Amino acid sequence: MYDVVVIGGGPSGATAAEDLAREGRKVAIIDRAGRIKPCGGAIPPRAVRDFNIPDSQIVARINTARMISPTLRQVDIPIEDGYVGMVDREHFDEFLRVRAADAGAERHTGTFLRIDRDSNGTHVIYRDKQTRDEVRLSTKLVIGADGARSNVAKQEVPGGDKIPYVIAYHEIIKAPGKIGSYDPARCDVIYDGKISPDFYGWVFPHGDSASVGMGTENPDVDLKQATADLRAASGLTDCETIRKEGAPIPLKPMERWDNGKDVVLAGDAAGVVAPSSGEGIFYAMVGGRVAATAAAACLASGQVKDLRIARKLFMKDHKAVFKILGAMQNAYYRSDERRERFVSLCHDIDVQKLTFEAYMNKELVKARPMAHIKIGIKNLMHLMGVIPATRA
């Protein structure tokens, strides 16, 4: 009998499993080996601090972000007094799983099938990758951290089958030095309807490799062709392709994360990817941590209502940021004219400073109210068309 079975071994599930194991709980983690999620790989310094990420996992430190508009206007935003750390999910996720196992979590490799219940309790059923047999793990609680379009969420939590998402696709390539518009010390974010009509494209360096990709909700978009066009525009067509990956990215946190009995969701399964930016690693790890906190509270008290703690803790710290980013996405991603205005707004020094201060620390910056007022006024003027889209 396990205290908790964690389904999914990405950043969220691995973090939850490690936290619980370090508290002395008997934990199992089930993961499908070999799956690598398409991801730009960016993590903020706060993630490095909060989750004790060693330097060995940071494959690049980015000091500039470049925003590129539909008319190819470029705004370089320097990252002052900090950096954007880049990780490669192929190695980063496995590092987190190994760390969870070192803390005492038991690893199982296979595919989640269902949750059964009988007079003896709750049982997680999965198909073992090697033997192809069905395996049953008995447990007191379950953490569903099995990603967007989570099967745990669909089966167990109201609304789990209705999470909106974009489909992300990227290609990991062998990275050159500076070539074309590519710079190994800079992240490029491309707001262009020809690449993505409702999200964005990216070129993110990973040290010896780079992630080039895009995302969209539109099922008619040819993701591979859009990525090929993005590589061509960046001068990266002839670079060797290491691997290609695609997966959904959720766009909105679920209204409920638990089933009121024995299951709580975490990470992408709960929909916690930042709107507008699509940033997910930090929020997934936070989601895993609050799910572990809720599970530990439930085990200690015997009260299933304590499973609600996970969502409450997460939204207390991040609801405001998600709300603002969601409003930005709704306002600026709907047309190339709006995207042009968004990149124009990024010329503003206050926008640049407040954006990256908030990114580094994962909280809204309240120290400069006049800057917020200025940005708010300029934002309204752009949306109303008072300021020309091509003017900073």
Side-chain angles (χ1 to χ4, degrees):
M1 172 66 72
Y2 293 94
D3 291 316
V4 182
V5 170
V6 181
I7 300 169
S12 185
T15 298
E18 181 189 357
D19 283 3
L20 286 164
R22 291 194 185 284
E23 288 190 6
R25 297 294 181 178
K26 187 174 182 182
V27 183
I29 183 170
I30 303 170
D31 185 64
R32 293 185 297 167
R35 179 183 179 274
I36 307 169
K37 180 184 175 182
C39 177
I43 62 171
R46 181 173 169 183
V48 174
R49 296 192 305 269
D50 288 2
F51 298 101
N52 193 27
I53 306 302
D55 285 347
S56 61
Q57 291 300 314
I58 308 299
V59 295
R61 285 174 168 78
I62 303 303
N63 55 35
T64 305
R66 172 172 288 182
M67 310 298 178
I68 303 173
S69 80
T71 61
L72 302 183
R73 296 176 71 234
Q74 300 174 357
V75 180
D76 283 7
I77 304 178
I79 303 168
E80 299 178 357
D81 303 320
Y83 63 93
V84 175
M86 308 302 294
V87 298
D88 188 326
R89 294 292 296 273
E90 179 181 12
H91 306 294
F92 182 67
D93 289 17
E94 178 62 11
F95 160 77
L96 295 176
R97 289 189 287 267
V98 168
R99 192 164 70 173
D102 289 344
E106 295 182 16
R107 293 183 63 176
H108 298 255
T109 304
T111 302
F112 166 74
L113 298 175
R114 64 187 183 276
I115 295 174
D116 290 342
R117 297 174 181 86
D118 58 25
S119 59
N120 293 318
T122 301
H123 315 284
V124 174
I125 314 300
Y126 75 93
R127 188 174 302 283
D128 184 272
K129 183 178 180 180
Q130 296 297 326
T131 66
R132 308 306 299 166
D133 294 332
E134 288 192 8
V135 179
R136 186 173 89 157
L137 302 180
S138 298
T139 185
K140 298 171 184 174
L141 296 174
V142 176
I143 293 178
D146 51 335
R149 297 194 292 197
S150 159
N151 285 322
V152 176
K154 289 176 184 176
Q155 294 178 25
E156 295 290 332
V157 179
D161 57 344
K162 298 180 177 66
I163 302 175
Y165 58 86
V166 300
I167 294 296
Y169 172 80
H170 79 161
E171 297 176 0
I172 296 293
I173 63 172
K174 280 195 174 180
K178 284 190 177 183
I179 183 174
S181 64
Y182 177 79
D183 185 332
R186 187 188 69 225
C187 284
D188 289 354
V189 185
I190 298 89
Y191 297 99
D192 184 348
K194 293 189 294 294
I195 298 297
S196 172
D198 52 1
F199 208 57
Y200 64 82
W202 67 82
V203 180
F204 285 1
H206 285 177
D208 293 337
S209 64
S211 166
V212 184
M214 49 78 67
T216 180
E217 284 187 86
N218 190 332
D220 296 326
V221 173
D222 187 332
L223 282 74
K224 293 184 178 181
Q225 185 58 54
T227 301
D229 294 342
L230 187 54
R231 287 180 63 167
S234 304
L236 301 172
T237 298
D238 295 332
C239 294
E240 180 184 341
T241 301
I242 299 172
R243 64 180 191 264
K244 302 177 180 180
E245 297 149 357
I249 297 177
L251 292 176
K252 185 179 180 181
M254 288 179 58
E255 293 297 323
R256 183 169 174 177
W257 293 9
D258 70 280
N259 68 349
K261 294 183 292 187
D262 50 11
V263 173
V264 63
L265 303 177
D268 282 14
V272 292
V273 171
S276 180
S277 69
E279 181 191 356
I281 297 176
F282 170 76
Y283 293 113
M285 297 180 80
V286 172
R289 177 149 290 171
V290 297
T293 300
C298 181
L299 290 168
S301 70
Q303 300 293 319
V304 295
K305 67 180 182 179
D306 285 341
L307 295 177
R308 302 175 197 165
I309 290 172
R311 190 179 190 279
K312 288 178 180 177
L313 288 175
F314 186 94
M315 299 308 282
K316 179 175 180 257
D317 286 343
H318 304 292
K319 181 178 180 179
V321 170
F322 273 50
K323 186 175 181 179
I324 290 173
L325 291 176
M328 285 176 56
Q329 181 171 333
N330 291 334
Y332 286 110
Y333 286 17
R334 61 179 62 180
S335 69
D336 273 357
E337 192 271 339
R338 289 288 184 94
R339 282 184 274 270
E340 196 72 42
R341 291 184 180 280
F342 177 68
V343 174
S344 180
L345 187 63
C346 290
H347 275 285
D348 190 285
I349 297 300
D350 285 317
V351 170
Q352 296 180 13
K353 287 183 177 294
L354 290 176
T355 296
F356 274 102
E357 285 175 19
Y359 174 80
M360 299 296 179
N361 299 300
K362 290 302 168 215
E363 59 187 16
L364 296 179
V365 181
K366 301 177 181 178
R368 287 184 280 156
M370 290 308 298
H372 285 284
I373 292 171
K374 175 186 171 185
I375 292 167
I377 293 172
K378 198 166 186 178
N379 185 47
L380 284 173
M381 293 175 72
H382 268 290
L383 293 175
M384 293 169 63
V386 176
I387 300 176
T390 55
R391 206 181 99 196

